[in-house]
Amino acid sequence: MQNREQWGSRLGFILAASGSAVGLGNIWKFPHMAGENGGGAFTFVYLICILVVGLPIVIAEFVIGRKTQLSPVGAFETIAPKSNWKWVGMLGVASAFVILSFYGVVGGWTLKYTLISLTGGFNELAGNPELSGKLFTNFISGSLAPILWQVIFMAITIVVIIQGVKGGIEKWTKVMMPAILIILIMLMIRGLTLPNGMQAIDFLFKPKFDDLTASSIVLALGHSFFTLSLGMGTMITYGSYLRNDQNLLSSALWIIFLDTVIALMAGVAIFATVFAMGANPGEGAGLIFVVLPTIFPEIAGGAIWGTLFFFLLFMAALTSAISILEVITAYFIDEKGWSRQKATIIFGSVITGVGALCSLSMGTYNITALAGMSFFDVLDYLSSKYMLPIGGMLTGVFVLVRWGIPNFISEMVVGMKNPKVNATFVRILFLVSATVVGFILINEIIATITGTPIIG
Ligand code: PHE
């Protein structure tokens, strides 16, 4: 396509793609998963999963996008015309709908908590997890307030996407990613210099293999897709705005590196604070919104540190949310010929509406209670346990059996200076990645049906 939008620079692309990867998954989910699963042992498995399962799929998505210059549905259709592979692209668009619906709700929470901290609202919570828990539950189960914040978060996301690839996504992520890194480094140093803060390093990096259970392996695998934004065509879409002059292998390695380092730094910053104040690292999902607000007021300048932390979380959520909305916008531009503005406003609003239902489902209006889960939980569960792994696995299978490793490699090496790629090695990588994810999926399905997984 002649006038397809393009990234302005290689750095812009790398920051936008790592902005997509770095999100609530890194700063909210990773630390609490590590906290509940023995720390070091979990980190160790997570790192292996990212490299073995994540890397091949990141590269595959970039290569498919750059080659076809199209978002997922058109991309699969171009390489495999008149086949069913375009449904993998459709699944991606559907996943984007599902994920952004609940992601926007949590995005709203981050804004609200930034404001609470800024106005000294954590002070009364000092050392009182019970009160903090109550405040949090009251807020998220309310009808009006969480929806208001979600609408604001989604409106910002929509504004960025309307501004386009270079003028919106790239411009905003170029400011927010460095800001995220700087704030995180400050928070980490603050945490580590608190008494006992250094215990965090031991906790996260010293693997105690006794703690390693099959279920933490399964968890780490699933999370590696979510954290790298894989399996729904985000990276295909971002790759489609690239010209042919970029080394995709090194770009992919940069993105994985940044995503991993930021998750680990967030872990260190959070656990250092937790240990310094003698709190429990295994608190689970409430670690961030319930435990941290009780700790910040106890450290010097706590209101500032708290505000910085939640603002960092907001920026990380925003750079991910825009990448999810872009998948949907790009689909309607590429396949239906809509204008960017029309696609973004219409579907951004529809998703905000579904998200509002999600938010309501945590309060008195418990809309769907499938298997005891709220609508919010159902969307989270569906996307991270099924939709993303299925999408990612099929992307790997597509490269292996439909496109073919030789075709894939000849496209991948475009833009590389001295390409030395061993086809057998690449084939094995894709085989292992697709098989491992396939196994995890089957395991999950069996667990859902029979109540007992093969492993985990
Ligand atoms: N990677 C993002 C995170 O870690 C979430 C995400 C998933 C973004 C899928 C885009 C697509 O929070």
Side-chain angles (χ1 to χ4, degrees):
M1 210 184 281
Q2 274 283 295
N3 13 351
R4 188 172 190 73
E5 293 180 76
Q6 298 283 335
W7 302 110
S9 66
R10 172 168 157 86
L11 179 70
F13 162 67
I14 292 180
L15 289 180
S18 43
S20 169
V22 173
L24 296 168
N26 303 61
I27 297 161
W28 180 40
K29 282 192 171 177
F30 171 75
H32 86 68
M33 283 177 172
E36 288 169 309
N37 290 280
F42 183 81
T43 309
F44 179 76
V45 184
Y46 171 76
L47 293 178
I48 295 180
C49 292
I50 292 280
L51 274 181
V52 175
V53 182
L55 181 63
I57 309 296
V58 180
I59 300 176
E61 290 204 13
F62 283 163
V63 175
I64 292 172
R66 183 180 68 178
K67 152 104 189 145
T68 58
Q69 298 282 295
L70 284 170
S71 53
V73 176
F76 282 104
E77 180 65 18
T78 304
I79 301 179
K82 303 213 173 13
S83 70
N84 280 322
W85 284 104
K86 62 172 175 300
W87 291 103
V88 180
M90 289 303 286
L91 176 69
V93 178
S95 309
F97 260 99
V98 171
I99 296 180
L100 192 51
S101 299
F102 69 83
Y103 210 87
V105 175
V106 185
W109 300 351
T110 65
L111 271 174
K112 165 77 178 174
Y113 267 67
T114 307
L115 191 74
I116 301 185
S117 179
L118 190 66
T119 52
F122 289 160
N123 289 342
E124 52 164 355
L125 307 179
N128 191 342
E130 217 165 285
L131 186 63
S132 178
K134 227 185 240 157
L135 181 94
F136 179 61
T137 321
N138 278 346
F139 166 61
I140 67 168
S141 61
S143 328
L144 210 60
I147 295 183
L148 184 76
W149 290 103
Q150 179 232 2
V151 169
I152 298 175
F153 180 86
M154 289 299 298
I156 302 174
T157 309
I158 291 171
V159 167
V160 177
I161 292 303
I162 288 181
Q163 294 172 346
V165 175
K166 194 167 145 190
I169 306 175
E170 182 169 350
K171 203 178 85 197
W172 285 64
T173 43
K174 257 182 154 164
V175 176
M176 288 192 284
M177 284 307 286
I180 288 173
L181 262 174
I182 293 170
I183 296 181
L184 202 49
I185 291 172
M186 285 164 55
L187 283 164
M188 197 172 66
I189 295 175
R190 170 72 278 203
L192 287 174
T193 48
L194 292 171
N196 294 326
M198 287 305 241
Q199 278 182 17
I201 303 275
D202 257 21
F203 178 73
L204 267 180
F205 296 105
K206 215 193 241 158
K208 297 173 284 304
F209 287 101
D210 296 348
D211 293 337
L212 196 61
T213 60
S215 72
S216 51
I217 300 179
V218 175
L219 206 63
L221 264 166
H223 186 59
S224 59
F225 272 90
F226 187 84
T227 190
L228 292 173
S229 308
L230 295 179
M232 52 164 262
T234 321
M235 297 305 181
I236 296 183
T237 308
Y238 274 18
S240 76
Y241 304 127
L242 281 174
R243 289 189 200 87
N244 267 342
D245 52 1
Q246 201 174 122
N247 182 334
L248 290 183
L249 177 63
S250 79
S251 301
L253 286 170
W254 263 111
I255 287 147
I256 289 189
F257 171 77
L258 281 171
D259 186 69
T260 310
V261 165
I262 290 183
L264 296 177
M265 291 198 330
V268 170
I270 291 167
F271 288 121
T273 318
V274 165
F275 283 123
M277 297 301 158
N280 173 13
E283 261 327 308
L287 188 63
I288 297 262
F289 289 104
V290 177
V291 181
L292 287 184
T294 66
I295 297 179
F296 284 126
E298 295 188 345
I299 53 183
I304 297 170
W305 293 113
T307 308
L308 281 175
F309 177 80
F310 282 101
F311 189 60
L312 156 91
L313 195 58
F314 157 68
M315 288 191 291
L318 182 62
T319 53
S320 297
I322 58 180
S323 75
I324 309 177
L325 186 54
E326 179 63 16
V327 170
I328 297 165
T329 295
Y331 167 75
F332 284 96
I333 296 177
D334 290 348
E335 302 302 314
K336 308 281 175 209
W338 289 21
S339 72
R340 170 170 286 276
Q341 199 169 358
K342 176 177 166 192
T344 310
I345 292 180
I346 292 187
F347 286 97
S349 310
V350 172
I351 292 171
T352 309
V354 179
L357 297 182
C358 244
S359 179
L360 286 175
S361 79
M362 278 175 296
T364 31
Y365 307 89
N366 200 332
I367 299 171
T368 320
L370 192 73
M373 287 192 283
S374 66
F375 185 48
F376 180 103
D377 291 334
V378 171
L379 296 191
D380 183 9
Y381 178 81
L382 257 185
S383 54
S384 50
K385 294 263 177 168
Y386 290 102
M387 299 174 90
L388 296 185
I390 291 176
M393 181 186 70
L394 290 176
T395 306
V397 172
F398 175 77
V399 171
L400 275 168
V401 307
R402 182 63 172 89
W403 200 11
I405 295 290
N407 291 334
F408 165 76
I409 291 180
S410 63
E411 182 60 35
M412 182 182 87
V413 295
V414 173
M416 284 166 73
K417 290 250 161 52
N418 305 304
K420 281 192 216 71
V421 185
N422 179 322
T424 312
F425 178 67
V426 175
R427 192 183 304 275
I428 292 174
L429 265 184
F430 274 91
L431 261 176
V432 171
S433 172
T435 313
V436 170
V437 184
F439 177 75
I440 299 302
L441 274 167
I442 294 172
N443 190 52
E444 189 61 40
I445 293 169
I446 292 181
T448 311
I449 297 174
T450 67
T452 19
I454 311 170
I455 65 163

